[in-house]
Amino acid sequence: MTTKTMSHGDLAEGIERLVREYISTIRIAAEGAVERAVALSEGGGGRLVPSAKQRQQSAAPSRQGRRRASDEIRALSERFYEALCRTPGETMTVLAPMVGSTARELNRPVFLLKGAGRIRSVGTKHATRYFPMAREAQRPST
């Protein structure tokens, strides 16, 4: 078996060739990225990143600003309480779909049920579990 040895000049030439190929590959990739960015900015109003106003306009319409009627909150409270009585000790993420709502929308109704002494909660944050209170322990609602 023969081993091929390279002189210092051959080794230097090989390294320079590899570096040139690498630089050429990087240059082509960078030019492609710049072309894509320019095309994006020309089609997107001159901005690569949408402005806060553009992001807000493209976001799904929210329910902010719309106050729910007290009857709606009361009905939601009752549906939550009924679901809770059927499955005590569950988390909000389990109970919310049973009520036909989201956990966020149930925030106020649950707060009112707690204030009336009809339910109690144990735990914190996402691990909070809810329990109905005994009828005699409930405070009269105002």
Side-chain angles (χ1 to χ4, degrees):
M1 206 190 268
T2 59
T3 58
K4 186 175 180 182
T5 59
M6 296 178 89
S7 68
H8 290 290
D10 293 337
L11 183 59
E13 186 180 313
I15 291 172
E16 287 178 13
R17 186 175 16 89
L18 285 173
V19 170
R20 279 193 305 271
E21 288 173 4
Y22 179 74
I23 290 173
S24 175
T25 304
I26 296 298
R27 182 175 289 132
I28 291 168
E31 287 172 355
V34 169
E35 287 174 7
R36 286 190 301 276
V38 169
L40 231 170
S41 68
E42 288 173 352
R47 293 183 57 101
L48 293 177
V49 178
S51 67
K53 187 174 182 178
Q54 288 171 332
R55 284 192 305 268
Q56 185 180 28
Q57 289 172 349
S58 66
S62 67
R63 294 182 57 161
Q64 278 184 324
R66 179 176 117 28
R67 291 184 59 138
R68 294 181 289 179
S70 59
D71 292 340
E72 182 182 349
I73 293 175
R74 200 171 305 121
L76 203 51
S77 295
E78 289 307 314
R79 288 198 320 261
F80 179 82
Y81 185 76
E82 289 169 11
L84 184 60
C85 288
R86 286 192 306 270
T87 56
E90 285 295 345
T91 62
M92 185 67 74
T93 55
V94 172
L95 293 166
M98 296 169 76
V99 175
S101 186
T102 64
R104 185 178 183 120
E105 290 172 338
L106 288 173
N107 187 22
R108 182 73 179 156
V110 168
F111 176 79
L112 295 174
L113 287 169
K114 280 184 179 180
R118 295 181 66 191
I119 66 171
R120 68 183 178 94
S121 61
V122 176
T124 58
K125 298 185 180 183
H126 296 292
T128 304
R129 297 189 173 272
Y130 297 88
F131 298 90
M133 297 291 285
R135 292 268 180 212
E136 58 273 0
Q138 295 177 11
R139 287 176 254 157
S141 61
T142 54

